Every structure is written in structure tokens, then in C-alpha cells.
Amino acid sequence: MFGNLFEEDEEDSSFVLPGGGGGVEPGSKKAEPPAPRGALNLSGLQNQGGTCYLNSLLQTLLFSPEFREELFSLGPEELGCLEDKDKQEAKVRVIPLELQRLFAHLLLVDQQAASTADLTDSFGWTNREESSQHDVQELNRILFSALESSLVGTTGSSLIHRLYHGTVVNQIVCKVCGYLSESQSAKLRKLPPFLTMSLLRFNFDFTKCERYKETGRYTFPLSINLKPFCEQAERPESEYTYELFSVIIHKGGCYGGHYHVYIKDIDQLGNWEAPEEELKPKFVKKEAQLSEPVLEKEDPLSVLIAILSQEESKSILVDQLGQKLLDTIGVSWNKKFRKQYGPIGKFLHSHSDVFMLVSNATRVALKSTTLTLVTDTSLKNLSVSHELDLKPADGPHWFDLNDSTVTPIHERDIEKQFQGKESAYMLFYRKAELCRPEEAKQNPSYKVPPHLLRMVQEENARLRQRREEFESSTNTVEVHLHLAPHYQLENGALWPKGSTQDSTLTLNFDRRRTVGDFRQAIYQMQDTWEGDMALTLAKSLPAGLHLYNTLTDDQQSLFSAGVTNGSDLFVWNGREVCGTSVQMGSEWEPVLLTLLRASNGAEEQGGAEDASGSGLLRVMRGFPGGTTLEVVCEALGPEDTLLCQEESQPGSSGGGASNWRVFPPSEMHRTLKELSLKDGDTLLVLEPQVLDTSLFSLRGDVVTVTTPSDCRWLQVEFRPRGDRPREGKENGEERRREKISASGNMLLSEVKQSAIEQLDMQEQLIGVECCLRQVDHTGKLLPPLREDLTVREAGVKLMTSLFLCRGAAPGPTQLFLYFTVSSGSSTGAEMEIMVEESITVKECLRLMLKAACLEGDWWHLRKMDWCEEVGDPLMDEDASLTELKIGTGDTLVVTEGQLPPKGFLKLPIWMLGESDESFCQADAKGNHVINGVGNQREGLPSADGLGGPGQFAGHVEISVEASLDDLKIQVLTLPILQDLCVPTPAFLRVWLLEGRRPSRILRGRLQPLKKMKLRNGMELGVQRLLKEEDLGLKELLLWVKIGVPGERKYYPSEELVWDAGREGSPRSLRQAIAAQYGLSADSLHMAKYCPEKYTWMAISSWSQQVSKRKKKKKAENLYGAPFHLKDGDIIGVKNLLIDSNKDFSTLEDELEQQRLQQEAEGRKRGRGQNGGGEPSVEVTAERRGSGKQRKPEVALSINVGHFR
């Protein structure tokens, strides 16, 4: 009815991975287990991105006892087993089975929120349905219909009919004769156990032609008697009475919102407790008049207590507290107290014994002890009321189930949902005569089948084990120990004398153990240590290692002492390092400053370097933060040396001299911390003799530095054609260039006019349109610059080059685009065109075809992405370029072929490892057929295994609903492959190609292509196999090369299918390789090959005990950084028992690396050169208006098997 009309708002934006649990970053020790149930003992449901409507309905069905127990009464003999659902001959009713498992999970598994991923998968939903919100009333109808279809032929076939179906009849009664009609009304003949009502809040305004939401007041009773509406009224009163037990609430408007549900816990499965706000004590005024407290304006504590005590609610918003203080004492907090006490929020936190932050720290109130103190001194008429009875009454209670959050509420809270943007949307009533047995109350396992109880027990056991392992893992911290004998004090910080490996140790330790235990462990490691041992918390700063507080209490735990994962500890005698005392604490934190001083032409020393050819030398140096500026000045130069700080000048970019302020004598006695100097700040050091040069000028306390690079100019070069730069003349026209005086506020039209005049080209360019263009680092001409913009607005930096080229400059509403023509497997030269931004894709295609002198309607457009790869086709040919976010400088590809129909993919197919000559040469060391590996270059197993990119086979057009096997069968119908002998589709391996290189194998024989995230135009490679193959989702196909002992080369590569599902660690991969080759796993050394750089990345398992390398433990999962293993990756292996050389590189690798380095140097030398393409072609088109469109509405559906 409403499709995906209701898109999620901010409250529904959190995305939860199917299967529960959050994601885990690579390198983390253990995946964090799901949180246990809270004190309420009820479980919520995870939101998959837009499934709050589904969660609300599922919770309502769960708390409908009769529905829940009827569903549980259906056993595996009727519904089948989920383990058999993939068997074609099995008759498995997946939807009711998954619903049973979900209900058992919600009732009994100790988890804060359950996942609905398995249930939605049984619906046949994809990520699109799971991230789009729908109408809950529509879902109720479709879900009940799906259940009825799923339960056909079972004892539960009438479940929905028995519980929810009633009968309505129309009565026509004549008041005169009893037969003629005067009024007509509907009567209820049969009442179901459950009554479902929709408040129909969404409507359509036919005047405005738009939807709207009714937010007016709809009242509904907690109990309703339907006797006046029934055909027969002689039955007992209880048969007509219904009690409300669920209210589904919608928050938001008709185009976006969020669902949650108020539910009555009929079986008292949850532990109700008073809402959090009711647990706070209430302050009640006595009749006596308030006396004003004594206000001490110089004491911020007294001022804030006085302000809060005068508030009627005894609390105030934190954001309003500053204004209240200003009104009370006449001066703001920042002016009076911030310098001494810090921000007002920090002050409130530091006085937690007086103030209490509530409502997520948005309000502040006085604690009860503070109120008692105020009462004794000045507020004698205040008293605290603790008369609130927080004990819940007997009977069922109400809860608010909002996705994964469960909150207790009162019955009176339902009245708040009568009206407004957040209001009741759907009501569920239950017959009052339906009584629950006593054994069902507070018994969540009541009527749960034994096989589900066993499943729940196993799941709870797994969760307990995961939590215990996670607790142990999270309490193991990695501490970096810095040993004092290997350090020296330099510029106020500690630096290692030699390599970091010798000066630092890494120790894993349980943070629950004491400091004394930790110290003893270090003593055992450092058996040569003599004398006292002090452990001091340290931190690596840009200036070096700095010490803070020393751990003195040996009975204190590491956690209490502030030692966390990755902490640095300095191990020393507690007095000095190499005979020098060390200053500790935050006030002495070293600051790394950038020092600039005039270059005297002598050889640069101390790591100084010329700052961008400006005549200034730049050097980095650290100083203790507690050092005064006077001491810094004495350390940097002779007497009368000046220190200056650069003045900030917003908008001064684009050239010009820089101004520096000399520190006055009053600031020379202040410390670096007091002056708020931080790491990276720049100081100018001026010795007396340099003030006589033209580089510096001193006026008052301002020093102006004028360097050669401060000139304001732009170099403009005339480009006769749009080609790349070459020296000399071409076509009789000589290249000319001139420096044009310019500023950041100068219009580019003025720059162009000045360039034409200085180049003396007024006569030559009469009647010729020209424009200014920049070039990139490769020398390619960038799009023309708009001449109505200034130099700064266009992003042009002064002291750079522009090129005066033939062609018009774009206007404010025009786009400059590059385009190429792609026909078959070849791509033509790049061309340029200028169009209006409002034209449609179809009009743009027509203009490009005209510019390229092409005809016909068998062309379509694709957009080049930032990787310079051809992307998906622009399917909506009637959309404007602006709507598709196509901007100036984008590249479009005019591609041969018509657009495939909606729901179909057009995929180019390459044959890997095959040629025109032979299909039949087999590689005995892998499951594939290749084409003569002897001619392939050794060192690329992906090449010698697949035979290079292979031969282009053609295109296939196939539905997104088709399976992978269907794709393979259709590939075999291509003309070039019709004679290929393939017994079954399993003898073909399909690769996804990226840059014509195999990147990923497509898995899942019966999985639809839409779930494989294939898009139009994605290139696929097909490889013929020697035997059938069906890779699992967690299985990787790797190429393994064993090193030849004593030589820098490898034996021929072999395929390895590695199952990384259980453990994706280096240890698991090493064991798999050892098992395949019959070697010892401990003697193997592995590395991954990076063919783009011709380098090898060693794969090693980090020790769980102590590592002497100063770096954190690397990720053990090879799927993550830095390895990112995928199909087709090359793994080199060295057997250290017979080969001591751990270097994996070959001679070919070194040659290729040298070639890459030479190419990089060549590109670097050529960055100063310029280049371009052909002159632009200006094409005009009519402007078309564009309107904002919403997402297309998609009908909600649930896929059900056939059971009739």
C-alpha cells in the first residue's frame, strides 16, 4: 500500500550486521560478545537498518501468548528441519521454523537483543528490503498471509483463522414492516480471540496531491465492550470484553519516521521496575517563605549552589546555567572563573559531591546532601520527599520495546500517544476471558519444545564461554617498557641512544594483578638489573618520551594505577637518567617548535633545511613546557636576539610578505605552557646582524619578512594547440610565456586580458575565443576556468602557470566534460565538449555522437570513476546531468550497445588461460587448463596459472535473478565457446576482473547474481577446470610458490584452497600449506606477493608473550590490514630447515623495481611540463528544469514455498 514510504529517521540510523554482535576492528584480541539481558529480563531486536516496523510487530506476536504457544506446538515432523532446507526434495517450512527459533531466542537466550537476519532471509529479503522501512499494517497482512501459506497441510493451518479472523454481517431492517430498508449497519457475528485495529493516520490530500499524517487526537480505551456492535447479545458479558495489550507507535511524518511498541507483559516474564526519573528524590516546598542564601560572588561553588537552590525544580539545563550566572552576578563565567577553574562543565564534574548531572548530562541538580546543608543555613523551608512508593503493583506491567532497547513504563503513559507526531498507529486487543495458567506466569520456557530448549542451552553456554574469554582477553594489556640504560635526555625529552628494538620491550600482563607482581615479572626478565626499580607512566610526544607519575603502591592493581592497553612505562632508578635529573609531570611536557632563522650562506647544520627557497632555514627543536621564553632565547642565540611569532592573517593566501610579532619583554618570563605554544608552532629567531638585510624590516614590534617567493604573479603561456608541451615552434606559431601581475582578488577575465596584451596577441586573436586552463602533474590540460571568478575563488595559486588556449570559457550554468568512444574492446581518443548542466543524458549523448561524427541509436553513456575505470551505465536517460551529480571535469564514455532492460545485466566475458590455437594443455599442479606456461614470465603465478587476460569472448545479457550456474550455461552459448567441452557448470570458474586482472571468484552455484553485487559492465573471466569445484564463502584460492633452496627463484606454483572460516590467522594458513606439502609448520616462512610493486610482504605470527619491537600487535586475521588476502593472491614459502635465506625477492623483481623507479623519476622531471588535448567543442542545448524526486516506492513481499 505504502511501499517503502516510511524511510528511517535519525533514531533508526544505526546499522547492525546480521547475526548479531557489532563489527570487530582488525587487530582486536577478541570479538566482543553480545551484551546480556538487563535487570528487566526482556530481550529486544536488532535493527537491520530499517526494520523497526518488523521488530514492533514481532514483539507484539511474541507477547500474544496464544499465538506463541500455537506456533510452538508445531513440531519438526510437520514443519521439517532447517538443516534440510537446501535439499531440493525436502519439504521445509522455513518461515514458521525461523519464527519459532526467534521466539525461543527472545524468551530464553541471555542476550540484550536478538537478530532478525535469519527470519528476513527466509522472507527472501535482500539488503534493499532490510534497509527500507514499510507500513507495519501492510506487513501484518502480508506476514499472516505468508504464515497461512506456509502452514498448509499441518495442524496449524487454521492458526491465523482461529486467532484473528472474525465475521461481519450487514443487517437491513425496516422500521415499518420489517422488510423494507431504511438504515443499514454492520454487525459482528463472530469475535476472534485477538482484535487488531489500525488508526489510519496516513491519508491523501487530493487538493494538494500529496500524502499527510493525521496528528490529531485519537482516544482509545484500555478495555472495550463490543456487545452493542454484535449480532447476538445474549452471551456472557466477558465474551464481548477486550483488553488492550499492545500499541504500535509511529514517530515522524508520512515520508520518514520510526516505529516502537508499548506492550503489556501478560505472563509477567519481565522484571518491572520504576522508570529512572522516578527514582530521583523530589523536593517539596514547605509553607514558610524562602530566605535567600548568602551569596559569595568570588566563590563559584557558592554562586552555583545559590542559583540551583532558587530554581523551583531544583535543576537547570547546563546550557542555561551560564546565562543564569550572568544574570545573578553581572559577569560571565568565562571572564570571571574560567582562567582559574576551567570550563563550567569541567567544574561541575570536579565537584561531583555537590552537583548531579542527569538526563544524559544535559541538566544539573544539587545532591540531597547539599540540599540538607543549604536547608540548615538559609533554605529552612525545603525538605526532601521520599514518600514515593517505588514498589510495583501486582499483575502485568507495560514496557516500551524500541528495537534493542527495553524500558519500563506506566499504563498512564499510553495517554501521551493519543496525538502528535509521535502517536499510536496500530492497536491490539485480547479477549478478557482468556485466562493464563499459573505455571505460565514468570516462566519463559512454558510450552517451548524440547529441541528448542536444547538449542537455547547450547547458545547460552556458547555466550558464557565467549564472555569469559572476552573478559580474560580484555584484561590482558600490552605494555611497552622503556629501559633507562638505553635512553638519554635531549632537549627536555628522552630519546633512545641506539635502535628502538634494544631500548623497548613489550610485555602482555593481566591488568587485574598488582604493581608488585608486574615489577617482579620485569625483574625476572631483566636478571642483570641492579638496585631499585621505579616504574613511571610515560607518553611518546612529538618532542620525545616524557615521564608523568610513578607507580609507588605495590598492592594497587594495574587497572587502578591507570595502566591501559598500549601504555608506556619507563623503567629506571627513579632519580636520574645517565647522570641527569629528569623533570616529570604535565607542566614539563616538552614542546616541539619549528624554528626559522636567516640563512648565512654557510653549510646547513643540525638538520636545518631551506624553507621553500625563501632564504630561511627551518629546524625542529624541543623544549620543556615549563621553560621560560627567556631561557629559550638564550639557548638559541646571543644577547639581543629577538623571538617572533607569526601573526594570523585570514585571507592572506596568494602571495605577499609575512608579518611576525616580536615577543615583548613582559612575556619573556612566561613559560611555553603559559603562552599556549604547542607542537609544530613556528618561531622566527632574529639575531641582531640580520636586521640590516633587505630580508627583514622592523617597525615597532612587527617584523616584515620579504622573500623572493613573495612576489605576486601568474605565468601565462600561449598554447597554439591543445597538445602537450614541446620546445620550439609548431605550425609556424611560437610558444610564448609572460609573467602577469596578479592578486587573489583579481578576476580571471582581467588576467586573460592582461596576458593577451603582454603577449602582444591582440591582432592575432581578433574574433577568436580563448580561455585559461591549468594542467595536472601529467601535463594534461584541465577544464577551462570560469572567467567570472576571482583567482582565489577558482582555486588558482599565485606563482603558478596558466595556459592561454583556443576555445570558449564555460559560463556559470555550463559543464566542461571529457568523453571517449568505446567500441568493443577498444577505446578511442579523449575528446572535449561543453554543455548546459540542465540537459538530459539522452541529449548529452546525442551531442557527443554529433561531435564524434557517429550515428545510430545503439549507444549509451557510462561515467568514468576516480580510478579511471568505466563504471555503470547511466540508466535514467531522462535525468539531467545535475541530478546524476555529473560535474565539470568528469569523463563520460560513449559505449557501443543499447542499455539492457531493467533487471538485466550486460557483462563482458573474457576467456582466461585459453587461446585460439589450443584449449587442451593441462597443468598437473592445479585444477585448471592453461595455454603453455613455458612462455609466461616467471614470478607471476596469477599469469602462469591463468595465462594472462586471455581472449575476449563477447557479452552476455542475463537477469539479476539468475543463478551463477545459469550464467555459466549462458556463457557457454557464446560463439567462441560453443565447441568447448564442459561436462557441467561446476567445471567452470568465474572470476571478477579488475583492471583486466582476476580479483575475486564468484561463489554459490544457486545464489542469484543480484546478491553477488554485480553491476552492468563488470568484466568477468571464465576459466576451465579439470574437476568440479564449489568453493565455500570462507574458502580462498591462493597460488603457493615454494622457494628453491640457495637460489632466488621458485618452483612452479600450485593452487591451494584454504578454508579460513574457522580461523583466518597466519598460523592456520601455515598449517594448511604444511599439510599440502608434508612439511613442518614451524619451519615455514611465508610472504604475500604484491605484483603492482614487485615486492613481498612477510607474514609472521606475533608472540603472545614478549616482543622487543616497539609496535602494537598486528592483526591476526589475514582478511584485514595489512594483508587483505583475496582469491588469486600469491604466497611465497621458504622452508627454513633447508633454506636460510629469508629474502623472497627474485632478480626479475629487482629489475622491475628499477624500471618503476626510473618511470617515477621521469614523471617527476616532467611535472613542470605542460600538455593537453584537442580544442574544446562548445555545444549548446535547451535548459530543462529539474525537480527533486523521492526514492521509487517498492511493494513489500514475502516469498513462500509451495506446500499444497
Side-chain angles (χ1 to χ4, degrees), residues 322-367:
Q323 183 62 40
K324 289 282 186 180
L325 183 138
L326 176 63
D327 297 339
T328 303
I329 64 176
V331 63
S332 67
W333 174 276
N334 288 344
K335 288 186 177 180
K336 190 166 184 67
F337 302 119
R338 183 183 177 94
K339 186 173 182 181
Q340 183 176 358
Y341 299 100
I344 192 170
K346 182 179 179 182
F347 183 82
L348 296 174
H349 280 285
S350 62
H351 292 79
S352 57
D353 55 332
V354 179
F355 304 106
M356 177 173 58
L357 294 173
V358 295
S359 301
N360 294 327
T362 59
R363 299 186 70 88
V364 60
L366 289 172
K367 287 195 171 180

XYZ file of all heavy atoms in Angstrom, residues 322-367:
368
model
N 25.050 29.110 32.498
C 25.921 30.267 32.303
C 25.145 31.566 32.235
O 25.575 32.587 32.789
N 23.980 31.552 31.559
C 23.159 32.763 31.474
C 22.604 33.134 32.847
O 22.538 34.319 33.207
C 22.020 32.544 30.471
C 21.142 33.765 30.232
C 21.914 34.934 29.651
O 22.768 34.754 28.799
N 21.621 36.134 30.135
N 22.181 32.133 33.641
C 21.690 32.395 34.995
C 22.780 33.041 35.850
O 22.510 33.958 36.641
C 21.226 31.087 35.640
C 19.942 30.519 35.048
C 18.733 31.263 35.563
C 17.438 30.598 35.075
N 16.241 31.301 35.558
N 24.024 32.548 35.694
C 25.129 33.122 36.461
C 25.381 34.569 36.048
O 25.630 35.440 36.891
C 26.383 32.265 36.251
C 27.628 32.673 37.029
C 28.338 31.456 37.576
C 28.611 33.447 36.145
N 25.300 34.849 34.734
C 25.490 36.221 34.258
C 24.414 37.143 34.812
O 24.694 38.270 35.238
C 25.475 36.230 32.725
C 25.564 37.595 32.032
C 26.881 38.271 32.367
C 25.428 37.449 30.527
N 23.161 36.660 34.861
C 22.078 37.482 35.406
C 22.237 37.699 36.906
O 21.798 38.725 37.444
C 20.728 36.804 35.120
C 20.452 36.692 33.627
O 21.072 37.457 32.853
O 19.643 35.833 33.240
N 22.868 36.765 37.618
C 22.961 36.844 39.078
C 24.091 37.757 39.524
O 23.893 38.618 40.398
C 23.161 35.434 39.664
O 22.085 34.602 39.239
C 23.196 35.482 41.188
N 25.303 37.589 38.952
C 26.458 38.361 39.439
C 26.905 39.429 38.451
O 27.834 40.195 38.743
C 27.636 37.424 39.756
C 28.126 36.718 38.489
C 27.241 36.410 40.813
C 29.358 35.850 38.717
N 26.278 39.507 37.255
C 26.581 40.568 36.312
C 27.819 40.352 35.470
O 28.248 41.253 34.751
N 28.450 39.180 35.514
C 29.634 38.893 34.708
C 29.585 37.423 34.330
O 29.066 36.589 35.082
C 30.926 39.228 35.488
C 31.063 38.355 36.721
C 32.161 39.087 34.595
N 30.114 37.092 33.130
C 30.020 35.718 32.641
C 31.055 34.832 33.321
O 32.037 35.294 33.903
C 30.230 35.686 31.123
O 31.557 36.047 30.797
N 30.823 33.515 33.219
C 31.747 32.529 33.790
C 33.122 32.626 33.129
O 34.148 32.568 33.797
C 31.175 31.123 33.605
C 32.121 30.029 34.032
C 33.119 29.477 33.296
C 32.176 29.393 35.310
N 33.784 28.535 34.017
C 33.237 28.452 35.263
C 31.440 29.507 36.478
C 33.557 27.646 36.344
C 31.763 28.688 37.555
C 32.809 27.777 37.492
N 33.172 32.780 31.780
C 34.443 32.801 31.068
C 35.323 33.961 31.523
O 36.544 33.819 31.621
C 34.204 32.889 29.556
C 33.658 31.583 28.999
O 33.734 30.552 29.644
N 33.077 31.647 27.811
N 34.719 35.111 31.798
C 35.507 36.272 32.205
C 35.959 36.191 33.655
O 37.037 36.672 34.006
C 34.700 37.556 31.980
C 34.540 37.929 30.512
C 33.860 39.271 30.365
C 33.758 39.669 28.897
N 33.095 40.985 28.725
N 35.136 35.597 34.530
C 35.434 35.657 35.961
C 36.121 34.404 36.483
O 37.044 34.476 37.302
C 34.140 35.904 36.749
C 34.403 36.225 38.229
C 33.173 36.780 38.889
C 33.480 37.191 40.328
N 34.416 38.331 40.372
N 35.690 33.229 36.044
C 36.169 31.999 36.680
C 36.917 31.037 35.757
O 37.605 30.148 36.248
C 34.985 31.216 37.290
C 34.195 31.993 38.311
C 32.850 32.269 38.114
C 34.800 32.442 39.464
C 32.128 32.979 39.050
C 34.088 33.148 40.419
C 32.745 33.415 40.214
N 36.787 31.158 34.415
C 37.321 30.138 33.508
C 38.832 29.984 33.633
O 39.359 28.860 33.627
C 36.945 30.459 32.064
C 37.414 29.384 31.068
C 37.106 29.764 29.642
N 37.619 28.758 28.726
C 36.929 27.737 28.244
N 35.682 27.573 28.623
N 37.474 26.864 27.412
N 39.574 31.113 33.753
C 41.026 31.031 33.786
C 41.517 30.220 34.968
O 42.503 29.482 34.888
C 41.617 32.441 33.824
C 43.129 32.461 33.711
C 43.644 33.877 33.593
C 45.170 33.884 33.437
N 45.702 35.253 33.332
N 40.825 30.313 36.102
C 41.264 29.622 37.319
C 40.645 28.242 37.468
O 41.302 27.304 37.925
C 40.925 30.475 38.555
C 41.400 29.877 39.873
C 41.123 30.786 41.054
O 40.600 31.890 40.865
N 41.471 30.340 42.233
N 39.373 28.111 37.060
C 38.648 26.858 37.318
C 38.351 26.053 36.057
O 37.849 24.932 36.148
C 37.328 27.157 38.042
C 37.513 27.820 39.386
C 37.348 29.192 39.531
C 37.852 27.074 40.504
C 37.516 29.811 40.763
C 38.024 27.674 41.738
C 37.857 29.051 41.865
O 38.024 29.648 43.085
N 38.629 26.610 34.863
C 38.339 25.891 33.636
C 36.893 26.067 33.203
O 36.130 26.862 33.776
N 36.444 25.327 32.170
C 35.054 25.446 31.699
C 34.066 25.057 32.797
O 34.384 24.299 33.718
C 34.996 24.454 30.525
C 36.412 24.224 30.141
C 37.224 24.373 31.375
N 32.845 25.576 32.663
C 31.839 25.333 33.694
C 31.462 23.857 33.779
O 31.204 23.320 34.862
C 30.587 26.217 33.431
C 29.665 26.195 34.654
C 29.867 25.780 32.172
C 28.560 27.224 34.563
N 31.463 23.141 32.622
C 31.165 21.712 32.653
C 32.214 20.931 33.426
O 31.903 20.019 34.197
N 33.492 21.292 33.230
C 34.567 20.623 33.966
C 34.451 20.899 35.461
O 34.720 20.019 36.289
C 35.911 21.110 33.420
C 37.116 20.464 34.070
C 38.401 20.990 33.452
C 39.622 20.361 34.117
N 40.886 20.899 33.548
N 34.041 22.117 35.811
C 33.882 22.460 37.228
C 32.775 21.621 37.865
O 32.911 21.150 39.004
C 33.549 23.958 37.348
C 33.426 24.441 38.767
C 34.546 24.776 39.514
C 32.184 24.555 39.373
C 34.428 25.217 40.819
C 32.049 24.993 40.669
C 33.184 25.334 41.408
N 31.675 21.424 37.145
C 30.587 20.602 37.683
C 31.034 19.164 37.885
O 30.704 18.523 38.892
C 29.379 20.659 36.734
C 28.717 22.025 36.550
C 27.633 21.946 35.482
C 28.132 22.540 37.849
N 31.811 18.618 36.918
C 32.301 17.247 37.051
C 33.263 17.109 38.226
O 33.256 16.099 38.927
C 32.989 16.803 35.754
C 32.042 16.369 34.687
N 31.381 15.162 34.727
C 31.628 16.990 33.550
C 30.611 15.046 33.663
N 30.738 16.134 32.930
N 34.110 18.123 38.450
C 35.090 18.034 39.528
C 34.460 18.174 40.907
O 35.103 17.876 41.912
C 36.171 19.104 39.332
O 35.594 20.408 39.381
N 33.218 18.650 40.980
C 32.507 18.759 42.256
C 31.299 17.828 42.242
O 30.159 18.241 42.477
C 32.064 20.220 42.507
C 33.214 21.156 42.762
N 33.995 21.658 41.747
C 33.729 21.652 43.926
C 34.927 22.454 42.256
N 34.786 22.463 43.574
N 31.583 16.552 41.930
C 30.500 15.571 41.853
C 29.870 15.286 43.203
O 28.789 14.701 43.277
C 31.042 14.262 41.251
O 32.126 13.778 42.018
N 30.541 15.681 44.298
C 29.941 15.505 45.620
C 28.865 16.536 45.908
O 28.090 16.395 46.848
C 31.027 15.588 46.705
C 31.816 16.887 46.607
O 31.921 17.434 45.483
O 32.336 17.342 47.636
N 28.803 17.589 45.092
C 27.819 18.670 45.287
C 26.766 18.640 44.192
O 25.577 18.775 44.458
C 28.529 20.046 45.309
C 27.521 21.170 45.473
C 29.569 20.083 46.425
N 27.213 18.445 42.925
C 26.303 18.533 41.789
C 26.057 17.148 41.203
O 26.915 16.257 41.263
C 26.870 19.453 40.704
C 27.202 20.834 41.195
C 28.525 21.212 41.379
C 26.203 21.742 41.491
C 28.844 22.473 41.834
C 26.513 23.002 41.942
C 27.833 23.378 42.130
N 24.884 16.992 40.605
C 24.480 15.732 39.993
C 23.996 16.027 38.578
O 23.078 16.834 38.387
C 23.369 15.090 40.832
C 22.817 13.800 40.238
S 21.670 12.989 41.386
C 20.461 14.297 41.628
N 24.655 15.403 37.565
C 24.271 15.557 36.167
C 23.271 14.471 35.810
O 23.535 13.275 36.019
C 25.496 15.472 35.259
C 26.501 16.617 35.417
C 27.744 16.348 34.600
C 25.894 17.943 35.014
N 22.117 14.865 35.277
C 21.045 13.934 34.941
C 20.640 14.154 33.493
O 21.101 15.081 32.826
C 19.821 14.129 35.880
C 20.187 13.786 37.307
C 19.281 15.559 35.796
N 19.736 13.285 33.017
C 19.204 13.367 31.637
C 20.336 13.422 30.623
O 20.448 14.348 29.823
C 18.273 14.583 31.476
O 17.199 14.508 32.360
N 21.212 12.398 30.683
C 22.343 12.321 29.765
C 23.233 13.546 29.855
O 23.732 14.063 28.845
C 21.869 12.124 28.325
C 21.203 10.790 28.123
O 21.577 9.812 28.770
N 20.226 10.738 27.247
N 23.430 14.034 31.090
C 24.334 15.156 31.376
C 23.861 16.458 30.743
O 24.663 17.363 30.526
C 25.764 14.822 30.935
N 22.569 16.580 30.435
C 22.056 17.836 29.887
C 21.504 18.755 30.973
O 21.335 19.951 30.738
C 20.939 17.562 28.865
O 19.877 16.843 29.504
C 21.488 16.732 27.706
N 21.210 18.214 32.168
C 20.697 19.001 33.284
C 21.588 18.780 34.498
O 22.222 17.734 34.650
C 19.250 18.615 33.627
C 18.261 18.825 32.514
C 16.840 18.563 32.989
N 16.382 19.591 33.899
C 15.791 20.720 33.523
N 15.581 20.951 32.251
N 15.389 21.605 34.414
N 21.651 19.781 35.358
C 22.429 19.700 36.581
C 21.507 19.993 37.749
O 20.632 20.866 37.683
C 23.625 20.684 36.547
C 23.167 22.114 36.388
C 24.477 20.534 37.803
N 21.680 19.234 38.846
C 20.891 19.410 40.059
C 21.824 19.272 41.250
O 22.966 18.799 41.144
C 19.764 18.373 40.128
N 21.319 19.720 42.411
C 22.074 19.586 43.650
C 21.804 18.223 44.258
O 20.682 17.718 44.212
C 21.675 20.688 44.645
C 22.128 22.114 44.296
C 21.501 23.091 45.264
C 23.630 22.235 44.323
N 22.860 17.614 44.831
C 22.662 16.361 45.545
C 21.943 16.616 46.861
O 21.956 17.720 47.392
C 24.010 15.678 45.790
C 24.603 15.087 44.519
C 25.723 14.131 44.824
C 26.146 13.397 43.562
N 27.247 12.452 43.809
